[in-house]
Amino acid sequence: MQRCPLVQPDMLNVHLVAHTHDDVGWLKTVDQYFYGIQNDVQHAGVQYILDSVLSSLLADPTRRFIYVEISFFSRWWRQQTNATQEIVRDLVRQGRLEFANGGWVMNDEAATHYGAIIDQMTLGLRFLEDTFGSDGRPRVAWHIDPFGHSREQASLFAQMGFDGFFFGRLDYQDKTVRMDKLEMEQVWRASASLKPPAADLFTSVLPNIYNPPEYLCWDTLCADKPFVEDPRSPEYNAKELVDYFLQLAAAQGQHYRTNHTVMTMGSDFQYENANMWFKNLDKLIQLVNAQQQANGSRVNVLYSTPACYLWELNKANLTWSVKQDDFFPYADGPHMFWTGYFSSRPALKRYERLSYNFLQVCNQLEALAGPAANVGPYGSGDSAPLNEAMAVLQHHDAVSGTSRQHVADDYARQLAAGWGPCEVLLSNALARLSGSKEDFEFCRDLNVSVCPLSQTAESFQVTIYNPLGRKVDWMVRLPVGKHVFLVRDPSGTVVPSDVVTLPSSDSQELLFSASVPALGFSIYSVTQGPSQRPQAYTPQPRSQKPSSRVLVIQNEYLRARFDPYTGLLVELENLDQKLLLPVRQAFYWYNASVGNNLSTQASGAYIFRPSQQEPLPVRHWAQTRLTALVQEVHQNFSAWCSQVVRLYPGRRHLELEWTVGPIPVGTWTLALSWPLSPQVHRRLLRDDARGVGEPLLENGSGVWVRGRHLVLLDKARTAAAGHRLQAEKEVLAPQVVLARGGGAPYHLGVAPRTQVRGRGAGRERTRMKPAAGSENGPALRVPAPPLRAQPRPVPRPLSAVLGAAPGAAALRASAHIGPLGPDDAAAALGAPVRRRGGPGRQPELPSDLGLEAWPIHCPQDLFSAFTITDLQETTLVANQLRARASRLQWTTNTGPGPTPHPSPSWLDPATITLQPMEIRTFLAEVQWERDS
Amino acid sequence: MQRCPLVQPDMLNVHLVAHTHDDVGWLKTVDQYFYGIQNDVQHAGVQYILDSVLSSLLADPTRRFIYVEISFFSRWWRQQTNATQEIVRDLVRQGRLEFANGGWVMNDEAATHYGAIIDQMTLGLRFLEDTFGSDGRPRVAWHIDPFGHSREQASLFAQMGFDGFFFGRLDYQDKTVRMDKLEMEQVWRASASLKPPAADLFTSVLPNIYNPPEYLCWDTLCADKPFVEDPRSPEYNAKELVDYFLQLAAAQGQHYRTNHTVMTMGSDFQYENANMWFKNLDKLIQLVNAQQQANGSRVNVLYSTPACYLWELNKANLTWSVKQDDFFPYADGPHMFWTGYFSSRPALKRYERLSYNFLQVCNQLEALAGPAANVGPYGSGDSAPLNEAMAVLQHHDAVSGTSRQHVADDYARQLAAGWGPCEVLLSNALARLSGSKEDFEFCRDLNVSVCPLSQTAESFQVTIYNPLGRKVDWMVRLPVGKHVFLVRDPSGTVVPSDVVTLPSSDSQELLFSASVPALGFSIYSVTQGPSQRPQAYTPQPRSQKPSSRVLVIQNEYLRARFDPYTGLLVELENLDQKLLLPVRQAFYWYNASVGNNLSTQASGAYIFRPSQQEPLPVRHWAQTRLTALVQEVHQNFSAWCSQVVRLYPGRRHLELEWTVGPIPVGTWTLALSWPLSPQVHRRLLRDDARGVGEPLLENGSGVWVRGRHLVLLDKARTAAAGHRLQAEKEVLAPQVVLARGGGAPYHLGVAPRTQVRGRGAGRERTRMKPAAGSENGPALRVPAPPLRAQPRPVPRPLSAVLGAAPGAAALRASAHIGPLGPDDAAAALGAPVRRRGGPGRQPELPSDLGLEAWPIHCPQDLFSAFTITDLQETTLVANQLRARASRLQWTTNTGPGPTPHPSPSWLDPATITLQPMEIRTFLAEVQWERDS
């Protein structure tokens, strides 16, 4: 790349990468980090870092810097003057300021959902694309701090168009072996399904996590000695430092295959006073390179970037070995497995998933309703705040549960703040699409069975929106008073319903099954019946202790049997297939290690270290109750641990809903476990010395958590279809919105609708015009090539709708969830899906299985709400047209990979093919239907 | 001043003074502070501060900054490129970077000698004058941190040309009263002798020592909240901060008399990342001033400087009250008197005084010998390193004894390093002036009675240089072996000598009295006699315990009597005047307080706080020995406390030489005391919580100290003449230099001289030419108006000689040491001294009394070594011609002072008049006598 610095071909080139690692929340909140508040807790102020780096880059043209976290950068950018922005653009253009990774955050790889990862990367990368065009486009992924690395993350990065991947944390033993075998750098073949090199990613393990070498940290946060060149000073050290550096470079170079090596010159929140760093790096470079002339040294040191380093590696044209599995789990020493964070802060983790679900609904309704969603009778609706909050939650100290308590609280606050504008948006959209301006209620507290409207109103209506691309049946649960209710479906027909009393309370919930079309909604109405609680069923204690009576729940698919003496689940039976499986499910806990003679390591937010291998049972038996009507077994294990085992009519899974908390304070960890030992909650009195400096106590709302496990019993050959579809349905569950009913019509004289399907009839209308060079489209067509939209306002995130009709693009990644795998069912799901459009011909299963979220595929009128007038494929994160994207090619020791063929820039929407595990993103130009 | 910012005449103007306070050594050494080493001890790096302030000043033209410590600034300046230097010059020219105080350091006011204060101020101010001309000249003195303030310091500042004086530390009760009475600002009439307004100095007590107001510290070292202007941020605080500031400004303004008030925005080593400060100050100014429009606020806030603030005060044209006494002692709370540092680290204090003495000798010989002193047979001689080291030692944490131990060690190292080039200079000069190239030995260890040459050589010569402007007789003491010696004076005549054995050792010292001319030297020769120790006298123990025999020592002037039972001095008698004084002298110690129920304050390096008021005697009696020949009484009080009481023939004073140490570690303070309680040594186990963070233990060489008290017995009326002359003789004691003798002649065929007088015969030769506008003088004439010499090399410090003959200026302050006072003798000494030149007419006493160091006065050929060809008077610190210097005038409530009359720019050297206590500085252009 012409923007890269010159290297010395016959020397060892040490690429100094000046960088800062700015956690989007950890010991301080995002705002505290940005502004530099609570510097007594941790000295860190990102606004000053960016100010300071800018000054230092301007002071010397050889200096380079990389920046990573776009949530911070974009905020800083908005506070700059036009003049400063122009200066920054110039630095970016010259490659002196380079973005790496470029996501909104540097996401966690273990506790995240891939959809949210794509969203957060898209948010950041689109900001860069819109602000700097291709000059600002990161070429490398840079995950230097996440606590282990997943193969799927690498696959996603490959599909996002990255040329390479740098990270720092891998198992300490793995690292030792790789250093010895010169396998610190490899090609990661990140998908067994996608055809190479689609998911191949060149991967480089950094030498020192992401820190500078010992004694060479010249940040305001460090205390290493700066260069003193004056030999008269008692502190003179220049010669000593240069000698040390030469030794260091030579030693490090021996673990890498080319004559290039990287040193990461920076760390957490460094460069707040960049001059300190650069002044000393300037001297290092000058003095070390002077040795080439002075004594024939063969070490050349230079300011560089990961992309420029990667470029040199690529030019070396070596053959690289291939890596296929995960970099999980991560241990940084014996007894130091970073697996605690898989379950730290389960309440926050759940809130994140719930918000993901809600955001997808919000995005979809924004696209379906068009501009009417953003400005309508309920005010300004906006998906951006929740989109940004969700992006923040993907940070590797957010959803991971490894932040301090007040920061975790602030993450929750951000999510909650994001919900508001989405609720307005949903109200606008639902009113527009249903034709009725209702006083919608969103009942955010359904998880604790609180919803004033359903609990008090004599009648109300329930709008259920389904974000899946296929029709679903969904069991609606709403808290109600002690009444009997009549539930009517969209056609006015009364449907079955039940009212159940919750365990350990006298609260009641109304249950009914709703049927909802793909990308659409159904409105059910609920009316209080005449008589007081004739059918409400209060479960009777079967016994204070388990009795000898056989305890069984059963529906048409499944039978679950419980031990009459212990109250524990002991057997599952698939009635269709006559499968009988003895099982055992109970609650166990781990005593957290506080350190012992093997290691001082304590269990903490990051690290899971039980004091002994075997978990201890909470109790060997459970008090049970059986509710006859709704097939629930209530199990009570202790004052803070109980479970409801449920079997719904018509559902193939057994649901185990546990409630745990508050865990009595003790130095231990609860685990629901046997034989797989998944932990469900953690409460710890010690910190694990990985920086967070606070024990994971969660004295607030996180102290008490509830979760569900869904159990399917099937043969291995066919199980995948069941569990994959069920998982999808959980992640993108229907959204329930309440209203009293009787709202004013949206358009006078137009009757409201009680059911709306977002997927159209698939009628073929007009042929789509070619995309490339089609600059004569509608003015608001976004994002057309070039994607850069400056000086237009920064486009709102993906899946948002821009401008009025004739409107601009709504866009969305689609995912084919079937992998290529050894089991038959998976293989069946994973077969290539070819979509054929045509009048009246809607895709049936399994093509629906291949769709996550809401696909904008063929044909043009796939969606009822708008017409697609143009469609182009982009990289996964929509920051460049896929046809124009190119990645560096690498030779592997498995032989040369096939040359990737670019997708055509003009898409025939009738023939889009999704490969197994493939996710593709399209930009669509659409025209919303006019108000009738 | 036109460089000052605009103010609002009808509002309260808050002058924000952005500043950093950079201790020249304290917890870290000077080099460590400059480079930013040991940042884990204290985060501080001056190089970065100056880099950073420069960047921030360039970023916004309204910003201003003051800098103070020129030792740091000049070092930084030398490391800058020409381009950067030009940028800095421009900022200085515009008044955006302003120097305050401008000394090499911010000197202590209690433990310093006034001569060294003038030297260190001169060093800094001359750097500024030579680098920036009048643009860089500080208008105000700025002593924000020294621990109390002396009237003499203020007098010196007035004579240096300062317009005003700002400080921060005064007694907390005094401050309260001043705030209430609106006397935070006054005119300090700093001399009772000098005619007002010569020593009048406008003095302003800063509101918050030198720190920013609470909550408004936006440095990287602070943790106050930065401005968050975005109301959507959960950290939004802009309104709250503005409201707070308005309240604060109003409250502060009530304690000052004008509609102007200062806020010091900075503190110790702040502005290392100046952007943090300035970015938030920018917002403060913008938001606070916006209130003027928004709600009619009458507060105006602006970037300013102390000089600009002072200018506004002067324009206010008020009548100010007058202050006459000291601001000593300083207490910052009850039981918190900062008087401990008066005696902390006595060994370092002594080394500083010894170095002052040596530096004056070095400076004088540099001038007397001319260029031959700098380049000669012994190499390159240079007074600059010792001059700079001495300047550093004046810092208020250096000679004060309040630095950490390793820093105190480094101060000593700097002095020692400075001695070397001065010794070379002395060798060159003495060889040149005596005509003989001897192998000079300087015997730095005479204080511990070590000098290999005198202890081993059979014969050697002793050169004694007298830096006083009058002839002195001096008792030379040299360690010798157990021999008998013959001592001959410069004429070859044998003079009386003695050899004494030292107490508590078997070492011996040779004593003889030498007579040395003014500013000249005498060479005595010492030869071992034939017989083995016939005259060496070993004192016999008079008794192990005091006996009943009367113990008396006596010479022609004085008799001292000791109690036969206790061994303590009990009576002094002035034999001339028949004065008999009962006395009691003994050693006492204070138990250091570690805090009690009155206050938690512990005694420490700064603070003297005994656990009880009355000191405890080390012992009630002393073992004594009497040496008959040299009139010494040896007293032993304990294993670590002894004293020699001496009476020399022909001397009017009794000498008490005590030796203390190592003080056994205990939590207490030794004091030699009764009734005046002067402490002589301190060893402490606690820190006094004023930042040094280290108990004053002095486990190294400082553990053991020796000192002398000289006692004169006289009537009050006549005592001053005696003690002032004696003190001068101690401070500027003769310098003893040894050599084996027999060196080669400096010029072949020219006989060496054994006695040289620096003062010439006073013959009138040529009339001096007028100075003003005399630009046609010799090329190297320095400093002629304008004083700025750029782009010539930075001139070396005062009293140094520049260039070759026809040579440039040697210059020196002169002091008339007699104050106007109530006692007759002092009054006599203080009478104006009018010097009348003329052939053969040398000034006699008392004019000699009026001279300290070496005066370059009338007539031209006052000095034997060179001829004065031009003479101009400057301010005390030689940074501007006195004739051109002007100071702001202030009206006092004592009535209008007389208008100062400028001295004529052309001086008639025959009529220079020194007022009592006046010190004047002249620049002389000289021509050294050619080598014969």
Side-chain angles (χ1 to χ4, degrees), chain A residues 248-279:
Chain A
L248 187 79
Q252 181 176 310
Q254 288 179 350
H255 300 296
Y256 290 85
R257 293 181 60 203
T258 71
N259 63 327
H260 296 271
T261 192
V262 162
M263 289 187 188
T264 41
M265 304 312 261
S267 193
D268 294 3
F269 294 96
Q270 295 198 356
Y271 287 80
E272 190 168 308
N273 189 358
N275 172 56
M276 285 181 65
W277 256 117
F278 281 114
K279 190 172 193 174

Side-chain angles (χ1 to χ4, degrees), chain A residues 398-477:
Chain A
V399 68
S400 61
T402 55
S403 74
R404 287 212 173 153
Q405 184 62 49
H406 79 103
V407 179
D409 295 343
D410 187 70
Y411 287 133
R413 180 198 62 76
Q414 291 186 54
L415 289 178
W419 279 56
C422 262
E423 288 172 351
V424 174
L425 190 154
L426 258 64
S427 296
N428 285 335
L430 291 176
R432 166 72 177 76
L433 296 171
S434 72
S436 178
K437 292 189 278 191
E438 301 291 339
D439 50 345
F440 296 107
E441 298 268 343
F442 289 85
C443 292
R444 293 194 196 179
D445 297 332
L446 287 180
N447 65 322
V448 288
S449 203
V450 171
C451 177
L453 179 59
S454 64
Q455 286 172 303
T456 59
E458 292 193 2
S459 70
F460 56 91
Q461 65 180 51
V462 185
T463 305
I464 305 125
Y465 175 82
N466 168 25
L468 287 180
R470 56 188 161 93
K471 163 180 164 292
V472 298
D473 292 322
W474 184 254
M475 186 64 69
V476 176
R477 292 187 75 115

Side-chain angles (χ1 to χ4, degrees), chain B residues 631-926:
Chain B
Q631 300 271 327
E632 294 183 351
V633 172
H634 296 191
Q635 296 174 314
N636 188 43
F637 289 86
S638 78
W640 46 268
C641 178
S642 63
Q643 184 173 248
V644 177
V645 185
R646 286 199 187 93
L647 207 49
Y648 291 105
R651 302 290 188 279
R652 292 177 180 270
H653 64 269
L654 183 72
E655 175 178 302
L656 303 126
E657 184 177 66
W658 44 263
T659 302
V660 170
I663 301 175
V665 166
T667 53
W668 48 273
T669 307
L670 179 79
L672 170 81
S673 169
W674 196 83
L676 284 173
S677 304
Q679 295 169 64
V680 299
H681 199 2
R682 309 185 78 206
R683 209 161 176 227
L684 301 165
L685 294 179
R686 300 287 180 111
D687 173 57
D688 52 9
R690 292 305 185 279
V692 75
E694 192 182 80
L696 186 71
L697 262 169
E698 291 204 288
N699 280 326
S701 57
V703 78
W704 190 88
V705 295
R706 176 176 289 165
R708 289 181 303 134
H709 294 280
L710 306 186
V711 179
L712 291 161
L713 179 61
D714 206 339
K715 293 178 187 157
R717 301 182 66 238
T718 51
H723 72 71
R724 291 209 170 98
L725 290 172
Q726 185 63 40
E728 192 183 55
K729 197 170 157 186
E730 291 294 328
V731 169
L732 291 172
Q735 177 66 34
V736 173
V737 183
L738 303 192
R740 287 183 186 274
Y746 194 86
H747 296 290
L748 272 179
V750 178
R753 288 176 280 185
T754 56
Q755 190 161 46
V756 168
R757 54 186 302 186
R759 291 273 292 271
R763 300 181 307 277
E764 191 140 36
R765 273 205 288 218
T766 55
R767 187 174 177 283
M768 279 188 268
K769 62 172 176 280
S774 62
E775 291 297 309
N776 297 322
L780 277 171
R781 185 177 147 207
V782 170
L787 290 174
R788 185 168 175 194
Q790 188 234 344
R792 289 179 298 191
V794 175
R796 280 185 283 158
L798 281 183
S799 303
V801 179
L802 294 163
L811 37 139
R812 186 59 202 164
S814 304
H816 185 321
I817 60 170
L820 281 176
D823 69 82
D824 294 357
L829 270 174
V833 176
R834 181 170 297 270
R835 303 291 237 79
R836 278 149 294 152
R841 195 173 188 313
Q842 273 300 96
E844 304 295 323
L845 250 170
S847 64
D848 267 3
L849 287 179
L851 302 176
E852 177 253 342
W854 66 281
I856 308 176
H857 291 245
C858 50
Q860 285 172 280
D861 56 353
L862 181 64
F863 299 95
S864 58
F866 52 77
T867 305
I868 296 172
T869 58
D870 188 31
L871 189 70
Q872 297 185 44
E873 183 164 11
T874 65
T875 58
L876 201 51
V877 285
N879 66 336
Q880 51 180 330
L881 293 180
R882 183 159 168 187
R884 299 190 178 180
S886 70
R887 298 172 64 218
L888 292 180
Q889 296 183 34
W890 304 87
T891 308
T892 64
N893 59 9
T894 58
T899 308
H901 52 281
S903 354
S905 60
W906 182 82
L907 291 169
D908 174 2
T911 58
I912 293 171
T913 304
L914 282 179
Q915 300 295 330
M917 295 301 282
E918 191 176 30
I919 313 170
R920 293 169 68 175
T921 301
F922 302 89
L923 300 184
E925 185 183 323
V926 304

Side-chain angles (χ1 to χ4, degrees), chain A residues 105-265:
Chain A
V105 302
M106 182 184 292
N107 64 254
D108 175 47
E109 301 188 26
T112 41
H113 185 267
Y114 76 88
I117 291 175
I118 297 172
D119 280 355
Q120 80 85 8
M121 289 300 296
T122 303
L123 187 60
L125 290 168
R126 280 302 304 261
F127 170 85
L128 291 177
E129 200 71 25
D130 295 335
T131 308
F132 301 107
S134 61
D135 292 334
R137 192 181 299 153
R139 303 302 313 166
V140 303
W142 181 260
H143 262 206
I144 53 175
D145 195 29
F147 325 132
H149 302 281
S150 76
R151 191 187 191 194
E152 181 59 21
Q153 179 78 52
S155 173
L156 293 173
F157 278 150
Q159 295 175 70
M160 290 176 196
F162 285 113
D163 282 326
F165 181 30
F166 292 81
F167 67 76
R169 297 193 185 276
L170 74 168
D171 181 271
Y172 68 105
Q173 293 175 312
D174 190 9
K175 185 174 182 182
T176 304
V177 171
R178 287 174 180 278
M179 287 172 70
D180 290 348
K181 295 171 99 177
L182 296 186
E183 289 199 335
M184 295 289 272
E185 296 173 323
Q186 288 185 298
V187 169
W188 198 348
R189 185 145 291 163
S191 170
S193 304
L194 298 177
K195 206 168 172 185
D200 282 1
L201 189 64
F202 186 88
T203 300
S204 179
V205 179
L206 292 165
N208 192 25
I209 311 184
Y210 56 92
N211 299 307
E214 197 181 10
Y215 306 127
L216 302 182
C217 183
W218 291 306
D219 194 73
T220 185
L221 297 171
C222 298
D224 289 348
K225 290 185 177 180
F227 265 98
V228 179
E229 292 177 272
D230 180 355
R232 292 166 305 178
S233 171
E235 301 290 345
Y236 171 72
N237 63 4
K239 182 172 185 315
E240 189 186 350
L241 274 180
V242 167
D243 291 347
Y244 167 71
F245 182 85
L246 290 172
Q247 281 189 319
L248 187 79
Q252 181 176 310
Q254 288 179 350
H255 300 296
Y256 290 85
R257 293 181 60 203
T258 71
N259 63 327
H260 296 271
T261 192
V262 162
M263 289 187 188
T264 41
M265 304 312 261

